[in-house]
Amino acid sequence: MGVIGEAWTWLTTGANWSGDGGAAHRLAEHLYVSGVALAVACLIALPIALYLGHVGKGGGLAVNLSNVGRAVPVFAVLALFMMTPLRNSGYLPTIIALVLFAVPPLLTNAYVGMTEVDRSVLEAARGMGMSGTQLFLRVELPLAYPMIMTGLRSAAVQVIATASIAAMVGLGGLGRIITAGFNTYDTAQVFAGAVLVALLALVVEGVLVALDRLLSPLRRRRTV
Amino acid sequence: MAGQNCLVANDWICGEYLRSRSHELAEATVQHIWITAASVLIGLAVAFPLALLARRGRHFAGPVLGLTTVLYTVPSLAMFSLLLPLFGLSAALVVTGLVLYSLTILVRNILAGLEAVPQEAREAATGMGYGPVRLLWEVELPLALPALMAGLRIATVSTVALTTVGSLVGKGGLGNLIEDALPSFFKAQVLTASVLCVLLAVAADLLLLGVQRLLTPWTRIRTPARAPGVPGIAKTEAG
Protein backbone atom coordinates (compact mmCIF):
# COMPACT_ATOMS: atom_id res chain seq x y z
CA MET A 1 0.00 0.00 0.00
CA GLY A 2 1.33 3.38 -1.02
CA VAL A 3 0.09 5.13 2.10
CA ILE A 4 2.31 3.11 4.39
CA GLY A 5 5.38 3.99 2.35
CA GLU A 6 4.44 7.64 2.31
CA ALA A 7 3.79 7.58 6.05
CA TRP A 8 7.23 6.06 6.58
CA THR A 9 8.71 8.87 4.50
CA TRP A 10 6.80 11.39 6.62
CA LEU A 11 8.07 9.82 9.83
CA THR A 12 11.68 9.75 8.66
CA THR A 13 11.69 13.33 7.41
CA GLY A 14 13.48 15.47 9.98
CA ALA A 15 11.50 18.59 9.15
CA ASN A 16 8.29 16.95 10.36
CA TRP A 17 9.78 16.48 13.81
CA SER A 18 11.15 19.94 14.49
CA GLY A 19 9.39 23.20 15.24
CA ASP A 20 6.38 24.19 17.26
CA GLY A 21 3.90 21.88 15.52
CA GLY A 22 6.48 19.15 14.93
CA ALA A 23 6.15 15.58 16.10
CA ALA A 24 8.78 15.97 18.82
CA HIS A 25 6.95 18.92 20.35
CA ARG A 26 3.60 17.13 20.08
CA LEU A 27 5.04 14.03 21.72
CA ALA A 28 6.44 16.11 24.59
CA GLU A 29 3.06 17.83 24.94
CA HIS A 30 1.26 14.49 24.95
CA LEU A 31 3.58 13.01 27.58
CA TYR A 32 3.47 16.13 29.73
CA VAL A 33 -0.32 16.46 29.95
CA SER A 34 -0.74 12.68 30.30
CA GLY A 35 1.84 12.45 33.06
CA VAL A 36 0.48 15.39 35.03
CA ALA A 37 -3.09 14.15 34.67
CA LEU A 38 -2.25 10.58 35.69
CA ALA A 39 -0.37 11.83 38.75
CA VAL A 40 -3.25 14.11 39.78
CA ALA A 41 -5.79 11.33 39.20
CA CYS A 42 -3.74 8.96 41.37
CA LEU A 43 -3.50 11.57 44.13
CA ILE A 44 -7.28 11.99 44.08
CA ALA A 45 -8.47 8.43 43.48
CA LEU A 46 -6.06 6.20 45.38
CA PRO A 47 -6.35 7.67 48.89
CA ILE A 48 -10.16 7.66 48.64
CA ALA A 49 -10.32 4.14 47.19
CA LEU A 50 -7.81 2.68 49.64
CA TYR A 51 -9.53 4.31 52.60
CA LEU A 52 -13.01 3.19 51.50
CA GLY A 53 -11.66 -0.29 50.78
CA HIS A 54 -9.98 -0.46 54.19
CA VAL A 55 -13.19 0.59 55.92
CA GLY A 56 -15.25 -1.53 53.51
CA LYS A 57 -17.79 1.13 52.60
CA GLY A 58 -18.91 3.00 49.51
CA GLY A 59 -18.53 0.16 47.04
CA GLY A 60 -21.68 1.01 45.12
CA LEU A 61 -20.37 4.51 44.56
CA ALA A 62 -17.04 3.29 43.21
CA VAL A 63 -18.60 0.87 40.73
CA ASN A 64 -21.31 3.29 39.60
CA LEU A 65 -18.73 5.99 39.02
CA SER A 66 -16.86 3.64 36.73
CA ASN A 67 -20.00 2.89 34.72
CA VAL A 68 -20.89 6.56 34.39
CA GLY A 69 -17.35 7.26 33.19
CA ARG A 70 -17.86 4.75 30.40
CA ALA A 71 -21.08 6.37 29.19
CA VAL A 72 -19.75 9.92 28.91
CA PRO A 73 -18.07 10.67 25.58
CA VAL A 74 -14.64 12.29 26.00
CA PHE A 75 -15.14 14.24 22.79
CA ALA A 76 -18.35 15.78 24.14
CA VAL A 77 -16.73 16.74 27.44
CA LEU A 78 -13.78 18.38 25.72
CA ALA A 79 -16.13 20.21 23.35
CA LEU A 80 -18.14 21.47 26.33
CA PHE A 81 -14.92 22.75 27.93
CA MET A 82 -14.10 24.65 24.76
CA MET A 83 -17.43 26.48 25.06
CA THR A 84 -16.41 27.91 28.45
CA PRO A 85 -13.69 30.44 29.35
CA LEU A 86 -11.48 27.41 30.09
CA ARG A 87 -10.60 27.32 26.39
CA ASN A 88 -8.12 30.13 26.94
CA SER A 89 -6.21 28.35 29.68
CA GLY A 90 -3.79 26.24 27.63
CA TYR A 91 -3.38 22.69 28.85
CA LEU A 92 -5.95 23.00 31.63
CA PRO A 93 -9.07 21.71 29.78
CA THR A 94 -7.18 18.64 28.54
CA ILE A 95 -5.76 17.90 31.97
CA ILE A 96 -9.15 18.27 33.69
CA ALA A 97 -10.78 15.96 31.13
CA LEU A 98 -7.96 13.44 31.48
CA VAL A 99 -8.22 13.44 35.28
CA LEU A 100 -12.00 13.06 35.04
CA PHE A 101 -11.65 9.95 32.91
CA ALA A 102 -8.68 8.44 34.73
CA VAL A 103 -10.25 8.58 38.20
CA PRO A 104 -13.01 5.94 37.66
CA PRO A 105 -10.77 3.00 36.64
CA LEU A 106 -8.25 3.86 39.38
CA LEU A 107 -10.93 4.20 42.03
CA THR A 108 -12.90 1.10 41.08
CA ASN A 109 -9.91 -1.19 40.72
CA ALA A 110 -8.23 -0.08 43.93
CA TYR A 111 -11.49 -0.40 45.85
CA VAL A 112 -12.35 -3.82 44.43
CA GLY A 113 -8.78 -4.98 45.05
CA MET A 114 -9.00 -3.92 48.70
CA THR A 115 -12.38 -5.52 49.34
CA GLU A 116 -11.46 -8.76 47.57
CA VAL A 117 -8.74 -9.48 50.14
CA ASP A 118 -9.73 -12.74 51.82
CA ARG A 119 -11.66 -12.09 55.06
CA SER A 120 -9.96 -14.99 56.82
CA VAL A 121 -6.53 -13.57 56.02
CA LEU A 122 -7.57 -10.27 57.57
CA GLU A 123 -8.89 -12.02 60.65
CA ALA A 124 -5.69 -14.04 60.99
CA ALA A 125 -3.62 -10.87 60.74
CA ARG A 126 -5.82 -9.17 63.30
CA GLY A 127 -5.53 -12.22 65.54
CA MET A 128 -1.75 -11.90 65.33
CA GLY A 129 -2.17 -8.48 66.91
CA MET A 130 -1.76 -6.23 63.89
CA SER A 131 -3.08 -2.72 64.27
CA GLY A 132 -5.28 -1.10 61.64
CA THR A 133 -2.31 0.64 60.04
CA GLN A 134 -0.17 -2.49 60.00
CA LEU A 135 -3.06 -4.46 58.54
CA PHE A 136 -3.42 -1.87 55.79
CA LEU A 137 0.28 -1.56 54.94
CA ARG A 138 1.41 -5.17 55.33
CA VAL A 139 -1.64 -7.23 54.33
CA GLU A 140 -4.29 -5.32 52.41
CA LEU A 141 -2.03 -3.16 50.25
CA PRO A 142 0.27 -5.97 49.01
CA LEU A 143 -2.70 -8.24 48.28
CA ALA A 144 -4.63 -5.49 46.48
CA TYR A 145 -1.53 -4.47 44.53
CA PRO A 146 -2.29 -6.42 41.31
CA MET A 147 -5.76 -4.88 41.02
CA ILE A 148 -4.42 -1.39 41.75
CA MET A 149 -1.86 -1.82 38.97
CA THR A 150 -4.56 -3.06 36.58
CA GLY A 151 -6.46 0.13 37.34
CA LEU A 152 -3.35 2.21 36.77
CA ARG A 153 -2.81 0.58 33.39
CA SER A 154 -6.44 1.15 32.33
CA ALA A 155 -6.17 4.75 33.48
CA ALA A 156 -2.91 5.28 31.59
CA VAL A 157 -4.35 3.89 28.37
CA GLN A 158 -7.44 6.01 28.87
CA VAL A 159 -5.38 9.13 29.47
CA ILE A 160 -3.30 8.64 26.32
CA ALA A 161 -6.43 7.98 24.25
CA THR A 162 -8.11 11.07 25.67
CA ALA A 163 -5.05 13.23 25.08
CA SER A 164 -5.25 12.35 21.38
CA ILE A 165 -8.94 13.23 21.19
CA ALA A 166 -8.08 16.66 22.64
CA ALA A 167 -6.75 17.47 19.19
CA MET A 168 -10.26 17.19 17.73
CA VAL A 169 -11.28 20.30 19.66
CA GLY A 170 -8.07 22.13 18.80
CA LEU A 171 -5.98 21.32 21.87
CA GLY A 172 -2.42 19.99 21.76
CA GLY A 173 -0.95 16.51 21.80
CA LEU A 174 0.02 13.91 19.22
CA GLY A 175 -3.54 13.80 17.89
CA ARG A 176 -2.87 17.20 16.33
CA ILE A 177 -0.70 15.50 13.70
CA ILE A 178 -3.72 13.40 12.72
CA THR A 179 -6.24 16.24 12.66
CA ALA A 180 -3.80 18.54 10.85
CA GLY A 181 -3.38 15.83 8.23
CA PHE A 182 -7.14 15.57 7.90
CA ASN A 183 -7.47 19.29 7.31
CA THR A 184 -4.90 19.25 4.50
CA TYR A 185 -6.13 15.93 2.99
CA ASP A 186 -2.69 14.45 3.73
CA THR A 187 -3.47 10.78 4.31
CA ALA A 188 0.20 9.91 4.75
CA GLN A 189 0.47 12.34 7.66
CA VAL A 190 -2.78 11.06 9.18
CA PHE A 191 -1.42 7.52 9.03
CA ALA A 192 1.98 8.54 10.40
CA GLY A 193 0.34 10.39 13.30
CA ALA A 194 -1.91 7.43 14.04
CA VAL A 195 1.10 5.10 14.11
CA LEU A 196 2.84 7.43 16.60
CA VAL A 197 -0.23 7.61 18.89
CA ALA A 198 -0.80 3.85 18.75
CA LEU A 199 2.88 3.13 19.40
CA LEU A 200 2.94 5.50 22.36
CA ALA A 201 -0.09 3.78 23.90
CA LEU A 202 1.42 0.33 23.37
CA VAL A 203 4.83 1.36 24.72
CA VAL A 204 3.30 2.92 27.86
CA GLU A 205 1.20 -0.21 28.41
CA GLY A 206 4.33 -2.35 27.95
CA VAL A 207 6.38 -0.25 30.38
CA LEU A 208 3.63 -0.45 32.99
CA VAL A 209 3.37 -4.25 32.60
CA ALA A 210 7.14 -4.49 33.10
CA LEU A 211 7.02 -2.15 36.12
CA ASP A 212 4.17 -4.18 37.54
CA ARG A 213 6.23 -7.38 37.36
CA LEU A 214 9.33 -5.72 38.80
CA LEU A 215 7.60 -4.02 41.70
CA SER A 216 5.06 -6.68 42.68
CA PRO A 217 5.36 -7.03 46.46
CA LEU A 218 4.33 -10.70 46.44
CA ARG A 219 7.01 -11.59 43.90
CA ARG A 220 9.69 -9.92 46.02
CA ARG A 221 8.56 -11.75 49.10
CA ARG A 222 8.63 -15.13 47.36
CA THR A 223 12.22 -14.76 46.20
CA VAL A 224 13.51 -13.75 49.65
CA MET B 1 -39.97 36.04 21.55
CA ALA B 2 -37.90 34.64 24.41
CA GLY B 3 -37.41 31.45 22.39
CA GLN B 4 -35.67 33.22 19.50
CA ASN B 5 -33.45 35.17 21.87
CA CYS B 6 -31.78 32.13 23.32
CA LEU B 7 -30.32 31.29 19.89
CA VAL B 8 -29.04 34.84 19.52
CA ALA B 9 -27.72 34.96 23.07
CA ASN B 10 -26.06 31.53 22.54
CA ASP B 11 -27.51 30.02 25.72
CA TRP B 12 -26.59 26.51 26.86
CA ILE B 13 -30.19 25.40 26.97
CA CYS B 14 -32.41 26.57 24.17
CA GLY B 15 -35.94 25.41 23.43
CA GLU B 16 -35.96 27.13 20.09
CA TYR B 17 -32.90 25.10 19.05
CA LEU B 18 -34.71 21.85 19.86
CA ARG B 19 -37.75 22.98 17.86
CA SER B 20 -36.01 24.35 14.80
CA ARG B 21 -33.37 21.63 14.49
CA SER B 22 -35.36 18.60 15.59
CA HIS B 23 -34.96 17.07 12.13
CA GLU B 24 -31.16 17.39 12.28
CA LEU B 25 -31.08 15.99 15.82
CA ALA B 26 -33.24 13.01 14.88
CA GLU B 27 -31.05 12.25 11.87
CA ALA B 28 -27.86 12.32 13.94
CA THR B 29 -29.43 10.18 16.65
CA VAL B 30 -30.55 7.59 14.09
CA GLN B 31 -27.05 7.48 12.60
CA HIS B 32 -25.61 7.11 16.10
CA ILE B 33 -27.96 4.26 16.92
CA TRP B 34 -27.35 2.27 13.78
CA ILE B 35 -23.57 2.66 13.94
CA THR B 36 -23.62 1.51 17.57
CA ALA B 37 -26.04 -1.37 16.90
CA ALA B 38 -24.13 -2.58 13.84
CA SER B 39 -20.82 -2.43 15.70
CA VAL B 40 -22.04 -4.30 18.75
CA LEU B 41 -23.90 -6.97 16.74
CA ILE B 42 -20.93 -7.61 14.43
CA GLY B 43 -18.67 -7.54 17.50
CA LEU B 44 -20.82 -10.20 19.14
CA ALA B 45 -20.83 -12.33 15.98
CA VAL B 46 -17.01 -12.17 15.81
CA ALA B 47 -16.38 -12.47 19.56
CA PHE B 48 -18.43 -15.64 20.02
CA PRO B 49 -16.37 -17.93 17.76
CA LEU B 50 -13.20 -16.31 19.13
CA ALA B 51 -14.28 -17.12 22.68
CA LEU B 52 -15.06 -20.71 21.66
CA LEU B 53 -11.63 -20.91 20.06
CA ALA B 54 -9.93 -19.46 23.15
CA ARG B 55 -11.73 -22.04 25.28
CA ARG B 56 -10.14 -24.90 23.36
CA GLY B 57 -6.94 -24.45 25.35
CA ARG B 58 -4.10 -22.17 26.34
CA HIS B 59 -2.66 -22.56 22.87
CA PHE B 60 -5.48 -20.48 21.40
CA ALA B 61 -6.41 -18.42 24.44
CA GLY B 62 -3.03 -16.61 24.60
CA PRO B 63 -3.05 -15.19 21.06
CA VAL B 64 -6.80 -14.41 21.04
CA LEU B 65 -6.80 -12.58 24.39
CA GLY B 66 -3.42 -10.95 23.69
CA LEU B 67 -4.43 -9.62 20.29
CA THR B 68 -7.80 -8.25 21.41
CA THR B 69 -6.14 -6.57 24.40
CA VAL B 70 -3.50 -4.94 22.21
CA LEU B 71 -6.25 -3.64 19.89
CA TYR B 72 -8.00 -2.19 22.93
CA THR B 73 -4.89 -0.22 23.84
CA VAL B 74 -4.84 1.70 20.56
CA PRO B 75 -6.49 5.12 21.08
CA SER B 76 -9.70 5.58 19.10
CA LEU B 77 -8.49 8.55 17.07
CA ALA B 78 -5.49 6.50 15.95
CA MET B 79 -7.60 3.39 15.32
CA PHE B 80 -9.94 5.22 12.96
CA SER B 81 -6.99 6.89 11.21
CA LEU B 82 -5.10 3.61 10.81
CA LEU B 83 -8.13 2.04 9.14
CA LEU B 84 -8.49 5.04 6.82
CA PRO B 85 -6.40 3.65 3.92
CA LEU B 86 -8.51 0.46 4.00
CA PHE B 87 -12.00 1.94 4.04
CA GLY B 88 -11.75 5.61 3.13
CA LEU B 89 -14.17 8.11 4.67
CA SER B 90 -17.04 5.71 5.30
CA ALA B 91 -19.28 4.38 8.01
CA ALA B 92 -17.62 0.99 7.51
CA LEU B 93 -14.42 2.53 8.89
CA VAL B 94 -16.10 3.65 12.10
CA VAL B 95 -18.01 0.38 12.50
CA THR B 96 -14.84 -1.69 11.99
CA GLY B 97 -12.96 0.34 14.56
CA LEU B 98 -15.77 0.00 17.08
CA VAL B 99 -16.05 -3.76 16.42
CA LEU B 100 -12.34 -4.13 17.20
CA TYR B 101 -12.83 -2.30 20.51
CA SER B 102 -15.87 -4.34 21.55
CA LEU B 103 -13.96 -7.59 20.99
CA THR B 104 -11.82 -7.30 24.12
CA ILE B 105 -14.78 -6.90 26.45
CA LEU B 106 -17.04 -9.41 24.69
CA VAL B 107 -14.48 -12.22 24.25
CA ARG B 108 -13.39 -11.99 27.89
CA ASN B 109 -16.92 -11.99 29.23
CA ILE B 110 -18.17 -14.82 27.01
CA LEU B 111 -15.11 -16.85 27.95
CA ALA B 112 -15.59 -16.13 31.66
CA GLY B 113 -19.26 -17.13 31.38
CA LEU B 114 -18.54 -20.38 29.57
CA GLU B 115 -15.77 -21.31 31.99
CA ALA B 116 -18.03 -20.70 34.97
CA VAL B 117 -20.49 -23.37 33.80
CA PRO B 118 -20.34 -26.11 36.47
CA GLN B 119 -18.63 -29.28 35.31
CA GLU B 120 -21.52 -31.33 36.78
CA ALA B 121 -24.00 -29.57 34.49
CA ARG B 122 -21.87 -30.49 31.50
CA GLU B 123 -21.46 -34.07 32.63
CA ALA B 124 -25.16 -34.45 33.34
CA ALA B 125 -26.05 -33.19 29.89
CA THR B 126 -23.44 -35.41 28.25
CA GLY B 127 -24.80 -38.35 30.23
CA MET B 128 -28.28 -37.57 28.92
CA GLY B 129 -26.93 -37.93 25.41
CA TYR B 130 -26.39 -34.27 24.46
CA GLY B 131 -23.94 -33.78 21.61
CA PRO B 132 -21.40 -30.92 21.72
CA VAL B 133 -23.58 -28.51 19.71
CA ARG B 134 -26.71 -29.17 21.73
CA LEU B 135 -24.65 -28.97 24.94
CA LEU B 136 -23.41 -25.55 23.91
CA TRP B 137 -26.80 -24.16 22.86
CA GLU B 138 -29.04 -25.65 25.50
CA VAL B 139 -26.83 -25.89 28.58
CA GLU B 140 -23.63 -23.85 28.40
CA LEU B 141 -24.91 -20.78 26.58
CA PRO B 142 -27.94 -20.19 28.83
CA LEU B 143 -25.74 -20.57 31.91
CA ALA B 144 -23.14 -18.20 30.44
CA LEU B 145 -25.81 -15.66 29.52
CA PRO B 146 -25.55 -13.38 32.58
CA ALA B 147 -21.80 -12.91 32.04
CA LEU B 148 -22.31 -12.48 28.30
CA MET B 149 -25.01 -9.86 28.85
CA ALA B 150 -22.84 -8.01 31.38
CA GLY B 151 -20.12 -7.81 28.73
CA LEU B 152 -22.62 -6.76 26.08
CA ARG B 153 -23.85 -3.92 28.29
CA ILE B 154 -20.34 -2.60 28.94
CA ALA B 155 -19.47 -2.90 25.25
CA THR B 156 -22.66 -1.13 24.16
CA VAL B 157 -22.32 1.76 26.59
CA SER B 158 -18.70 2.42 25.66
CA THR B 159 -19.50 2.04 21.96
CA VAL B 160 -22.19 4.73 22.22
CA ALA B 161 -19.58 7.08 23.69
CA LEU B 162 -16.84 6.09 21.23
CA THR B 163 -19.07 6.59 18.18
CA THR B 164 -18.72 10.36 18.66
CA VAL B 165 -15.04 10.14 17.70
CA GLY B 166 -16.26 8.89 14.29
CA SER B 167 -17.08 12.53 13.55
CA LEU B 168 -13.41 12.69 12.52
CA VAL B 169 -14.54 11.12 9.23
CA GLY B 170 -18.02 12.63 9.34
CA LYS B 171 -19.72 9.44 10.55
CA GLY B 172 -20.05 10.07 14.25
CA GLY B 173 -23.79 10.44 14.72
CA LEU B 174 -24.31 12.97 17.50
CA GLY B 175 -20.56 13.62 17.44
CA ASN B 176 -21.04 15.27 14.03
CA LEU B 177 -23.32 17.87 15.61
CA ILE B 178 -20.70 18.57 18.29
CA GLU B 179 -17.96 18.93 15.70
CA ASP B 180 -20.11 21.21 13.53
CA ALA B 181 -20.92 23.46 16.48
CA LEU B 182 -17.31 23.83 17.67
CA PRO B 183 -15.99 26.55 15.34
CA SER B 184 -18.97 28.85 15.97
CA PHE B 185 -19.15 28.16 19.73
CA PHE B 186 -22.78 27.08 19.34
CA LYS B 187 -23.38 26.08 22.98
CA ALA B 188 -26.93 24.76 22.70
CA GLN B 189 -25.98 22.28 19.98
CA VAL B 190 -22.91 20.94 21.83
CA LEU B 191 -24.81 20.50 25.09
CA THR B 192 -27.91 18.97 23.48
CA ALA B 193 -25.88 16.48 21.45
CA SER B 194 -23.76 15.56 24.48
CA VAL B 195 -26.78 15.03 26.70
CA LEU B 196 -28.54 12.98 24.01
CA CYS B 197 -25.44 10.83 23.72
CA VAL B 198 -25.41 10.06 27.44
CA LEU B 199 -29.16 9.43 27.44
CA LEU B 200 -28.70 7.04 24.53
CA ALA B 201 -26.08 5.11 26.51
CA VAL B 202 -28.32 4.90 29.57
CA ALA B 203 -31.33 3.85 27.46
CA ALA B 204 -29.31 1.14 25.70
CA ASP B 205 -28.04 -0.13 29.05
CA LEU B 206 -31.55 -0.33 30.52
CA LEU B 207 -32.87 -2.01 27.36
CA LEU B 208 -30.18 -4.69 27.56
CA LEU B 209 -30.84 -5.15 31.27
CA GLY B 210 -34.50 -5.77 30.38
CA VAL B 211 -33.53 -8.26 27.69
CA GLN B 212 -31.23 -10.01 30.16
CA ARG B 213 -34.07 -10.38 32.69
CA LEU B 214 -36.38 -11.78 30.01
CA LEU B 215 -33.77 -14.26 28.82
CA THR B 216 -32.70 -15.46 32.25
CA PRO B 217 -35.91 -15.85 34.27
CA TRP B 218 -34.26 -18.44 36.53
CA THR B 219 -31.84 -15.92 38.03
CA ARG B 220 -34.77 -14.11 39.66
CA ILE B 221 -36.07 -17.14 41.54
CA ARG B 222 -33.26 -17.09 44.05
CA THR B 223 -32.99 -14.18 46.45
CA PRO B 224 -30.75 -11.53 44.95
CA ALA B 225 -27.97 -11.84 47.50
CA ARG B 226 -25.22 -10.81 45.12
CA ALA B 227 -25.09 -7.99 42.66
CA PRO B 228 -25.00 -9.05 39.01
CA GLY B 229 -22.03 -8.36 36.86
CA VAL B 230 -18.65 -9.82 36.17
CA PRO B 231 -15.81 -8.58 38.31
CA GLY B 232 -12.30 -8.31 37.03
CA ILE B 233 -13.13 -6.55 33.77
CA ALA B 234 -12.58 -2.94 34.53
CA LYS B 235 -10.83 -1.64 31.46
CA THR B 236 -12.21 1.45 29.85
CA GLU B 237 -11.44 3.33 26.72
CA ALA B 238 -11.86 6.96 25.89
CA GLY B 239 -14.81 7.86 23.72
Side-chain angles (χ1 to χ4, degrees):
Chain A
M1 251 188 306
V3 177
I4 294 174
E6 285 168 41
W8 176 252
T9 314
W10 192 95
L11 283 172
T12 47
T13 305
N16 291 327
W17 285 82
S18 56
D20 229 19
H25 180 72
R26 294 298 181 205
L27 183 66
E29 232 173 13
H30 209 108
L31 285 174
Y32 169 73
V33 292
S34 304
V36 170
L38 198 60
V40 173
C42 282
L43 284 177
I44 296 174
L46 291 183
I48 298 176
L50 294 178
Y51 176 74
L52 290 177
H54 179 66
V55 184
K57 277 180 192 155
L61 177 81
V63 175
N64 282 333
L65 197 67
S66 176
N67 290 336
V68 170
R70 233 179 239 118
V72 179
V74 173
F75 178 45
V77 170
L78 279 165
L80 285 171
F81 278 156
M82 294 316 277
M83 298 282 140
T84 67
L86 269 179
R87 68 169 171 271
N88 297 321
S89 49
Y91 294 127
L92 199 60
T94 325
I95 291 180
I96 296 176
L98 295 175
V99 170
L100 225 53
F101 286 96
V103 163
L106 282 169
L107 194 66
T108 312
N109 277 278
Y111 177 82
V112 171
M114 288 291 282
T115 48
E116 271 181 0
V117 173
D118 198 341
R119 299 300 317 166
S120 54
V121 172
L122 290 182
E123 272 158 34
R126 217 173 268 132
M128 283 163 67
M130 279 197 184
S131 69
T133 321
Q134 281 177 320
L135 198 70
F136 172 73
L137 287 176
R138 292 168 62 181
V139 182
E140 288 179 313
L141 210 51
L143 287 174
Y145 175 83
M147 278 297 278
I148 298 173
M149 282 305 284
T150 307
L152 187 68
R153 272 165 49 198
S154 303
V157 167
Q158 176 101 16
V159 157
I160 287 175
T162 312
S164 21
I165 291 172
M168 291 177 73
V169 300
L171 297 166
L174 274 180
R176 273 301 271 279
I177 298 173
I178 298 175
T179 52
F182 257 101
N183 292 337
T184 53
Y185 302 99
D186 186 348
T187 311
Q189 185 184 335
V190 170
F191 198 82
V195 169
L196 282 179
V197 175
L199 274 181
L200 180 67
L202 294 176
V203 166
V204 168
E205 169 91 359
V207 167
L208 285 174
V209 170
L211 266 182
D212 184 6
R213 297 223 175 112
L214 270 175
L215 298 177
S216 168
L218 294 178
R219 173 184 165 275
R220 206 188 317 141
R221 202 158 294 174
R222 219 176 293 135
T223 50
V224 168
Chain B
M1 292 294 281
Q4 287 290 353
N5 284 339
C6 71
L7 275 179
V8 179
N10 198 12
D11 285 338
W12 285 105
I13 298 164
C14 182
E16 183 56 29
Y17 168 73
L18 289 179
R19 234 168 299 131
S20 58
R21 307 284 184 93
S22 59
H23 179 70
E24 215 175 284
L25 278 168
E27 209 173 294
T29 309
V30 168
Q31 188 188 54
H32 208 108
I33 292 173
W34 86 252
I35 285 182
T36 304
S39 308
V40 173
L41 288 176
I42 296 173
L44 198 58
V46 178
F48 196 67
L50 280 180
L52 288 181
L53 189 69
R55 195 172 61 137
R56 307 218 97 192
R58 304 184 102 215
H59 229 67
F60 296 105
V64 167
L65 293 179
L67 190 69
T68 51
T69 309
V70 165
L71 285 173
Y72 202 76
T73 308
V74 177
S76 47
L77 188 70
M79 181 78 96
F80 291 147
S81 307
L82 286 173
L83 294 169
L84 188 65
L86 288 175
F87 296 95
L89 299 172
S90 65
L93 167 94
V94 179
V95 170
T96 308
L98 293 173
V99 166
L100 293 179
Y101 279 125
S102 67
L103 285 183
T104 314
I105 301 166
L106 290 174
V107 169
R108 277 172 194 271
N109 274 273
I110 297 172
L111 195 62
L114 288 175
E115 277 176 351
V117 173
Q119 191 58 34
E120 304 92 74
R122 263 192 218 112
E123 279 164 14
T126 316
M128 284 164 71
Y130 279 46
V133 177
R134 206 169 153 217
L135 176 72
L136 179 68
W137 278 109
E138 293 179 22
V139 179
E140 291 179 312
L141 197 58
L143 288 173
L145 212 54
L148 188 153
M149 289 301 291
L152 196 61
R153 283 171 60 196
I154 298 173
T156 307
V157 167
S158 47
T159 302
V160 170
L162 269 176
T163 302
T164 55
V165 180
S167 63
L168 180 74
V169 295
K171 306 282 177 193
L174 292 161
N176 288 350
L177 293 183
I178 299 176
E179 172 137 46
D180 290 345
L182 267 173
S184 55
F185 297 104
F186 189 177
K187 288 178 180 168
Q189 182 158 320
V190 171
L191 186 67
T192 310
S194 307
V195 170
L196 273 177
C197 203
V198 174
L199 287 180
L200 209 57
V202 174
D205 195 43
L206 289 177
L207 183 75
L208 285 173
L209 184 65
V211 171
Q212 180 180 353
R213 295 202 155 195
L214 279 178
L215 288 177
T216 57
W218 64 89
T219 55
R220 271 171 293 155
I221 298 169
R222 266 174 286 150
T223 47
R226 284 167 61 199
V230 180
I233 300 199
K235 280 207 154 197
T236 42
E237 158 69 14

